[in-house]
Each structure stands twice: as C-alpha cells, then as structure tokens.
Amino acid sequence: MKSIKNILSLLVIVTTLWSCADDEKNVNLNNVQAPSALAMAFDVTQDNTGLVTITPTAEGAVSFDIALGDGTAEAVELENGQNTSHTYAEGTYTVTATAYGITGLSTSLSQELVVSFQAPENLQVTVENDAAVSKQVNVTVTADFAITFDVYSGETGVTTPVTANIGETAIVQYTDAGIYDITMDVKGAAIQTTTYIEEDFEVTEILAPIAAAPTPPARQPEDVVSIYSDAYTNITLSELNPNWGQSTVLTEVQVEGNNTWFYSNLNYTGIVTDYGNPTDLSAKEFVHFDYWTPDATQLGLKIVNTSYADGDPLKEDIEIVDDIVIGEWRSVEIPLEDYTTDLSGVTQLLFDSMGSGTPIVYIDNLYFYKQPSNSTAQVINFESGYTLSSFDGGDISVIANPDTNGNSSGNVAQLVKGAGQPWAGSKITLDNPFDISNPVVTVKVWSPRVGLNLLMKFEDDVPWPNVTGSAEITATTTVANQWETLTFDHSGISSSIDWYNMVLIMDNGTQGDGSANYTIYLDDFTTSPALNFEPQYSELSSFDGGDISVITNPDTNGNSSGNVAQMVKGAGQPWAGSKITVPAPFSVTSTSTVTVKVWSPRVGLNLLMKFEDDVPWPNVTGSAEITATTTVANQWETLTFNHSGINESIDWYNMVLIMDNGTQGDGSANYTIYLDDITIN
C-alpha cells in the first residue's frame, strides 16, 4: 500500500543535461587526468525567495567556475569544498560548472534549473534492493517542481535521513534485513513538503557473491603450491570436508564462471592433501586465500603435519583472520613464519569459525607461494635479442636516440603510424619468452603530443589466426616532446603460456584526429622486481608523526595485491615520514625512475621520496627529495619519481617517504594512504 500527501510548496526542479569537455592549461604531470564525477547540488531555501545555493563536487578538482545562467556577466570562482548562493527570479536557467584539476585539465557540466512557485506534482518513486550490496536500499524520486528529498529508513533508532537531489539515488544502508515503512519527504522552497510512504518494503540480505574472487598474479610454477585456484595448477587432494563430526556442508559453485568453494553451516572443515605423500611447503613464504561471507565474525586457517613418528606430538597451528569484512571478497596473506607447524610434511588444512557460530563462507585461491625466483629485471633496450615487425600501417625500427635529454640511451625504437587510419601496430619478438614473473611492464616513451594512447599485449608464437593473446592494456602519454615512463599492469596474465611476442598498437581513434600520422620513440621495456610488501623488506619505521605498517589490501579494485603498506600521517603537523629498509641496497642508478602504486583519500596530496645510506643519524647521506602528487581520490594510481642523477657510488639501503600537506591549507589534518608495488626502473 502507498499513500501520498500533497501540501502546497515552492520547489525548484532540476533536470540534468550532461556535457563534458577536457581543456588543457599549461601544466602537465605524469598520470594526469581531468576531474571526473562532476556534479552540482542545488539547495533552495524554503521561504519563497528563490535563493539557491550551488555546491559543485568532483573527483580530482581543486577549483570551480560557476556560470549562473541568468545574465550575470562573470562566473563565480570557488575553491574545492566551497559553494555559492544566488537569488533567482522565476524562470528556467542553464547553470554550468567547470572543474579544474591540479594540472589545469578541466571538465564541464551544465544543469537546467527551473525556479517555480508550485507544489510538487507527478511523483515517481523507485525503491529497490541493491543487487550487489547486502541490506542496501536505493531510492530514486522524480517530481515536477522538486529539488531534493529526504529518506527516513523506518529502522528503529535511526532518525537521521539520507538526502539526495531529485532524479538522483539516495543510498540507505540497513543494519538488519526485514520489513520497513520507508518515508520520502520531497522538498522545495516552501515550508510545506510532499510526503510519500513506501509501506511494508522488504529489505533483503545478500548471502552469496555476485562477482568472482580477485584473479591472483602470474607466478612461476616453482614459486607456488596451489591447493585450489583456477589461476594455477592445483595439487591432487585426497579428501575435502571429510567426516570429522563437523556441521559444515561443502559445495563447489561457479561465480562468474570461476570455480569457488561454498561452505554452509561452517564450524570447521578439513582438507587432506595426501597422507602417503606429504606436501613440502618449507620453501614457501606465505599462504593466501580469498573469502566472502555474509555473516562470519571469525575465521581461522589451521595447517597440520601428521607425518610424525610414534610418540611425537601432532604438529599443527592455527592463525586467525583479523577484522572480518562482510559482503565483499577479501584477500588474506599470512606469513608462514607465523605458524609453528613443521611445513616440510603438511597433510591437512582446516578452516575454522573459531566457535563463533556456523556462518556461510566462500573460499577461492587457496595457495602457498614465495617471492619470484628471478630477481633480475628483464630489459628490452634495443641492443640485441629481438626481431621487429609491423602490421596495419605501423612501422617500427631501431634508430639513434633523437633526444638524449631524459634518456641517455644510444638506440631507441621508432614507432610510426602513417596517416589514413586511426591505429597501427608493431610487434617485438623475443629470442626467449618474456619474463612475466612480475606482470608490471614499464616503458620509456617520447611522444609529440599529450593524450596519445599506446596499447600493449602479449602473444604466443603460434601463427595467425590461431595465435593466443593476452588482454590489451592501455597507457596514455601525459607530456609532449619529452621522455616519460608509462606503466602497463598485466596482472592476471597466464603464466602457463610462453609469451614470445609483445604487440604494440598506437591508437588515436578516440582523439578526433585519429587519421593523422604520428612518430613516437620507445626504450627500456622493463619488468622489474617490485617491492610489494609480501615481503621484500627487512624493516619499516617512521618519524615525525608518521606510521607505516603492512596490512591486507583494503581496495582490490585497480590493485589485486594481497598486502599493501599503510602510511598514516596523524593530525597536528603538516608532514610526517616513513622509511623502508632493505637487506641489500636498492638498485637505483643515475637514470632510474621509481613507480609506486598509491591510494589516497584526496587529490593534490604530495608524496616525497628520497634514498639514504645506512649511516646513523645525523651523519646520514641522503639523495634529493623527489615529489609526486596524487591526481585522483579513493582509487589506485601509479605515481612516478624521477631520480635521474642520483649518486651511484653510495649504497642506498633506505627509501624515505614523506607525506607533505603543508601547502594544502589543511596540512595539519590526518591522512591515511596505501602504497604498493614500488618498482625501480
């Protein structure tokens, strides 16, 4: 049953018309992007004055221009986080917001603003459970002469509404599933409002994942022992969920085509490898698994060695997962040094709910591994060991380096795309398969323009059309007429295929001038061992209010690593530092660049990097501080630090990272960022 109550009110209706345009100003940074997710909120005072407050928001914006649309000559300039108020007469207006990023790139959005002194009419309300998030309800309201609406969930004890603009979606998160009366208070400029009640709505709980677990990275066969994963070759198991008196029921299901273990009623469950042929895990460093649960509060993994002599105690130990997360896939990495079990003869593994009930748990990608055996970077620098070929109008050849400023190599590859088609390809064939033990490939690129797309994929050596290829990864140039390092992340590439061919496609089909001809230069295709906190360090330390630690990756969207470094700057001072010390000196040279995957809660956060020797303070020798600045918020990006010119005669044992917000106006605020895959090229 639904009921609608109409009371006379003054409302302003907003119909959104989107238009986005990227403009270039005069500043360029690596990995630059124009602001995204630009939106404007209109808030009208409910007193019949027509006073409208305009609040723009965007990811990656540092400032805004607001064109009011009523004949006002000059746009209103706002800093990020500010708003502006303006009194409109009755009528229809087009208000335009332009968001500027830290580099000067911009994005624009126009919204129609209708100021009308009438009551809300023709309400259309959609209330539905979110398909992916458990106990989340999405509410959308459209109406004539309306601007915002408040949603009251009806949940006992919850009195604060969720507010959204007309036409947008209000997200309401419930604590418990059940039946609720949900009230929408539709508001405009008058004191009166229009109320809509969705009665007896059932809030549902999602009890199973709809997306597959994260794909593990490619690893060499000798570095991994896989118990259960589609990504690797699994060992043969003797028993699954043997009858040891448990309540657990095991079913294998498919989630997005990915085989997954589904444990219902889990109190504990066993996995037997082979009693007659125990599995030797003594050379491995970590155990990994991914879990998804709607209701578990504790989860432990026990490792058992039953291959003991008569009279010896059973060799077993259990480690418990910290901070269980509900309703999403989470990756767990446990150092094997945390176990007291003799890992030379493992025969059993057990998942255990630790007496906390009988929850539902999905498990995937259970495997043991060590860091890559090959710790030497593979570099294609066009000196030897390759064959070049081209297709679809492309042309690749080796020439003398035409620009040694920023890249002192003697030879580079010249890749030409002739006029007449939007893209053209070239291929580099190696004498031996490409080493993808680290799937992150960096390339030095010189381009005559910003925004040129370069695609990379790998292929085996089977003749066309039966060739097998990996996914195409795209990187985009951010500077013109100078060298920069682009990063291609091939995480998830198959390690079971010998990749002899690297295919490069220069693609300008989306640029508006795709048929134009371009020449770019390429050098130093590198797969470098990455410091990815799994671990390849001996010590983490902090100073001046900083704090660094290794945690489970809190955001696998864009970075599927299990572990990352968490770097915290507490409130009270504009900067704070952390240090990573390695057992052998960093392989940094006078031509090195360092790339780091960074997740930041804000745009414009400065991260400084330098290297130091191992001499105690205050006699320590340090390199120059290099600064990179975040350009996106709440997502992973790759920052580049150019350490060209560093002193090669010093053993650099320490990498110093400083989070510096002293120039941001809120430097004393506290921030937490995440770091991963620090790679020296």
Side-chain angles (χ1 to χ4, degrees):
M1 178 185 298
K2 302 176 177 65
S3 63
I4 300 178
K5 181 181 179 184
N6 288 293
I7 304 174
L8 194 62
S9 61
L10 164 69
L11 297 174
V12 177
I13 127 181
V14 181
T15 304
T16 303
L17 304 172
W18 294 91
S19 72
C20 296
D22 292 343
D23 300 321
E24 288 183 36
K25 291 195 173 181
N26 296 322
V27 184
N28 287 303
L29 292 177
N30 288 340
N31 304 300
V32 64
Q33 296 181 18
S36 59
L38 176 57
M40 275 189 291
F42 293 159
D43 185 17
V44 183
T45 58
Q46 294 179 273
D47 57 3
N48 297 335
T49 64
L51 180 63
V52 180
T53 298
I54 304 169
T55 304
T57 58
E59 294 179 6
V62 296
S63 63
F64 300 87
D65 286 345
I66 307 296
L68 298 170
D70 67 341
T72 302
E74 295 185 1
V76 179
E77 297 181 2
L78 300 175
E79 297 300 319
N80 189 26
Q82 294 180 336
N83 57 38
T84 185
S85 295
H86 186 72
T87 300
Y88 287 88
E90 284 189 285
T92 300
Y93 308 93
T94 299
V95 182
T96 301
T98 301
Y100 296 97
I102 194 170
T103 64
L105 291 180
S106 66
T107 302
S108 294
L109 163 70
S110 293
Q111 286 185 186
E112 187 177 85
L113 172 66
V114 178
V115 178
S116 177
F117 295 91
Q118 296 187 42
E121 297 176 357
N122 302 322
L123 272 66
Q124 295 184 1
V125 179
T126 302
V127 182
E128 57 188 5
N129 286 287
D130 192 271
V133 181
S134 184
K135 294 174 287 187
Q136 175 179 307
V137 174
N138 301 327
V139 180
T140 304
V141 177
T142 61
D144 294 339
F145 318 123
I147 179 67
T148 63
F149 63 98
D150 291 338
V151 181
Y152 294 87
S153 66
E155 196 167 15
T156 302
V158 179
T159 58
T160 302
V162 176
T163 301
N165 287 340
I166 289 294
E168 298 179 353
T169 300
I171 297 175
V172 185
Q173 185 65 57
Y174 286 79
T175 302
D176 298 305
I179 305 297
Y180 298 93
D181 290 341
I182 304 174
T183 301
M184 277 65 71
D185 191 10
V186 184
K187 302 190 302 182
I191 296 175
Q192 295 89 348
T193 63
T194 299
T195 300
Y196 177 98
I197 301 175
E198 183 83 10
E199 296 182 347
D200 299 329
F201 183 83
E202 182 179 3
V203 177
T204 59
E205 182 176 11
I206 296 177
L207 299 176
I210 62 172
T215 301
R219 300 184 188 277
Q220 298 293 345
E222 64 270 19
D223 295 334
V224 63
V225 173
S226 181
I227 307 300
Y228 184 74
S229 176
D230 289 348
Y232 308 120
T233 300
N234 300 320
I235 66 172
T236 301
L237 302 177
S238 297
E239 298 179 72
L240 285 175
N241 200 34
N243 186 15
W244 294 343
Q246 72 274 26
S247 64
T248 308
V249 177
L250 170 61
T251 308
E252 184 177 62
V253 297
Q254 285 203 335
V255 182
E256 285 193 325
N258 195 53
N259 293 316
T260 307
W261 281 339
F262 165 44
Y263 291 108
S264 60
N265 242 16
L266 174 65
N267 58 348
Y268 62 90
T269 183
I271 303 166
V272 178
T273 56
D274 187 343
Y275 288 124
N277 184 26
T279 303
D280 185 0
L281 299 172
S282 58
K284 301 300 179 278
E285 298 170 344
F286 294 90
V287 58
H288 172 104
F289 65 89
D290 298 307
Y291 74 86
W292 190 103
T293 180
D295 56 355
T297 57
Q298 291 194 80
L299 184 64
L301 176 63
K302 181 183 288 187
I303 301 178
V304 183
N305 180 338
T306 61
S307 58
Y308 55 90
D310 291 341
D312 287 348
L314 187 68
K315 299 168 184 167
E316 63 180 36
D317 193 16
I318 191 167
E319 293 295 322
I320 301 172
V321 178
D322 295 327
D323 301 325
I324 293 290
V325 175
I326 299 298
E328 62 182 76
W329 281 109
R330 303 296 286 186
S331 296
V332 177
E333 302 271 346
I334 305 176
L336 290 178
E337 64 183 16
D338 291 354
Y339 285 91
T340 59
T341 309
D342 179 358
L343 297 175
S344 64
V346 172
T347 52
Q348 295 177 359
L349 305 171
L350 292 89
F351 285 106
D352 197 322
S353 66
M354 309 304 297
S356 62
T358 53
I360 291 172
V361 179
Y362 290 80
I363 297 290
D364 198 4
N365 301 322
L366 173 59
Y367 60 88
F368 297 81
Y369 74 97
K370 67 182 181 70
Q371 290 305 313
S373 304
N374 183 358
S375 61
T376 303
Q378 177 175 355
V379 180
I380 302 176
N381 57 7
F382 303 105
E383 304 299 330
S384 63
Y386 61 87
T387 302
L388 302 178
S389 58
S390 294
F391 56 94
D392 289 315
D395 181 65
I396 191 170
S397 59
V398 174
I399 65 169
N401 184 359
D403 185 357
T404 57
N405 184 21
N407 178 23
S408 59
S409 294
N411 288 343
V412 299
Q414 174 181 265
L415 201 163
V416 179
K417 184 187 76 67
Q421 66 179 52
W423 60 277
S426 297
K427 184 183 294 186
I428 303 171
T429 300
L430 305 181
D431 294 345
N432 297 298
F434 204 91
D435 178 12
I436 57 167
S437 56
N438 180 351
V440 177
V441 179
T442 58
V443 185
K444 291 180 180 177
V445 177
W446 188 104
S447 165
R449 62 164 292 169
V450 173
L452 190 145
N453 295 324
L454 184 65
L455 286 67
M456 177 189 294
K457 69 175 181 177
F458 290 94
E459 292 180 351
D460 60 13
D461 57 350
V462 177
W464 183 266
N466 299 315
V467 64
T468 297
S470 67
E472 291 180 352
I473 308 300
T474 302
T476 305
T477 60
T478 64
V479 295
N481 301 315
Q482 66 186 76
W483 289 98
E484 67 176 317
T485 298
L486 298 183
T487 299
F488 300 80
D489 190 342
H490 293 272
S491 296
I493 193 171
S494 174
S495 59
S496 63
I497 297 175
D498 289 336
W499 303 109
Y500 280 88
N501 299 290
M502 174 188 286
V503 178
L504 300 167
I505 300 172
M506 201 190 319
D507 181 7
N508 261 31
T510 62
Q511 301 303 312
D513 60 348
S515 62
N517 61 312
Y518 288 103
T519 298
I520 65 174
Y521 308 112
L522 310 171
D523 198 17
D524 290 354
F525 290 74
T526 306
T527 55
S528 298
L531 197 164
N532 58 7
F533 305 103
E534 303 292 343
Q536 289 171 272
Y537 55 88
S538 61
E539 182 182 350
L540 300 177
S541 57
S542 296
F543 55 92
D544 289 315
D547 181 65
I548 190 170
S549 59
V550 174
I551 65 167
T552 301
N553 185 359
D555 185 359
T556 56
N557 184 21
N559 178 22
S560 60
S561 293
N563 287 348
V564 299
Q566 174 181 265
M567 186 172 168
V568 179
K569 182 187 77 66
Q573 66 179 52
W575 61 276
S578 297
K579 184 184 296 186
I580 302 170
T581 302
V582 291
F586 286 99
S587 300
V588 56
T589 71
S590 60
T591 60
S592 289
T593 58
V594 181
T595 58
V596 185
K597 290 181 180 177
V598 177
W599 187 105
S600 166
R602 62 163 294 166
V603 173
L605 190 146
N606 295 324
L607 184 65
L608 286 67
M609 177 189 293
K610 68 175 181 177
F611 291 91
E612 292 181 351
D613 60 12
D614 57 349
V615 177
W617 183 265
N619 299 315
V620 64
T621 298
S623 68
E625 291 180 352
I626 308 299
T627 302
T629 305
T630 59
T631 64
V632 295
N634 300 317
Q635 66 187 74
W636 288 98
E637 66 176 315
T638 299
L639 298 184
T640 299
F641 300 81
N642 188 345
H643 290 273
S644 298
I646 195 170
N647 190 334
E648 296 182 2
S649 66
I650 297 176
D651 289 336
W652 303 110
Y653 281 88
N654 299 292
M655 175 184 288
V656 178
L657 299 166
I658 300 173
M659 204 189 317
D660 181 7
N661 261 30
T663 61
Q664 302 303 312
D666 60 349
S668 63
N670 59 312
Y671 289 103
T672 297
I673 66 174
Y674 308 110
L675 311 172
D676 199 18
D677 292 353
I678 301 176
T679 305
I680 300 176
N681 304 304

